[in-house]
Structures are given as structure tokens and as C-alpha cells.
Amino acid sequence: MKCAICRNGNTEKGFTTVVLERDKTILIFKRVPANICNNCGEEYISSDVNRKLLNFARDEKNRGITLELLEFAA
Ligand SMILES: [Zn+2]
């Protein structure tokens, strides 16, 4: 996929770390699958993965978690 930000690079499959903040809850997801631009480093996360992250964040927030480090399991 051609990068939409720099329009020069191509994206490659890789992993990234995502930090989500919701009110007092901070979740850090490691090893989130993403497509990463080999030129500017922009990260593209699929809507599917993004939805999983947001669902997880909502559950953790409801549990009253304030800070958590998680390995993302696809
Ligand atoms: Zn780029």
C-alpha cells in the first residue's frame, strides 16, 4: 500500500505499540499488528484491530484499571 502521508513510501507489515488514554485509564498495547511506512514511519492500523483495541479499553476502564501494559493478541 502506498503511504497516504508522504506519498513516497510503501507500507510494510510490522508491529507497533499503541497507547490509549480514556479519562483516568491508560492502556499500553504492545505488538499491535500494523502497516508501517518504510519512508516516514506512519503507522496504519486496520479498523478491525482498532475496534478490538477500543473494546478492550472500554472493558478495562469499566474494571477501574488505571494503568496496564498488554500484549495484543490478534
Ligand atoms: Zn510515509
Side-chain angles (χ1 to χ4, degrees):
M1 184 177 103
K2 201 90 174 162
C3 178
I5 302 298
C6 67
R7 297 172 192 280
N8 272 319
N10 283 298
T11 58
E12 294 172 351
K13 278 194 180 6
F15 292 96
T16 187
T17 299
V18 175
V19 179
L20 285 179
E21 210 175 331
R22 290 282 180 280
D23 300 331
K24 281 183 240 166
T25 305
I26 298 170
L27 297 174
I28 303 160
F29 293 92
K30 287 174 70 182
R31 288 186 61 77
V32 177
N35 287 311
I36 300 162
C37 176
N38 60 11
N39 183 54
C40 71
E42 180 69 17
E43 293 159 349
Y44 297 89
I45 295 171
S46 73
S47 56
D48 214 42
V49 169
N50 197 39
R51 196 169 52 235
K52 280 184 194 167
L53 291 175
L54 293 176
N55 281 343
F56 212 92
R58 195 185 51 213
D59 290 350
E60 294 300 280
K61 181 172 173 279
N62 290 342
R63 283 171 56 202
I65 301 286
T66 51
L67 178 67
E68 195 164 26
L69 180 63
L70 302 146
E71 290 270 330
F72 185 84

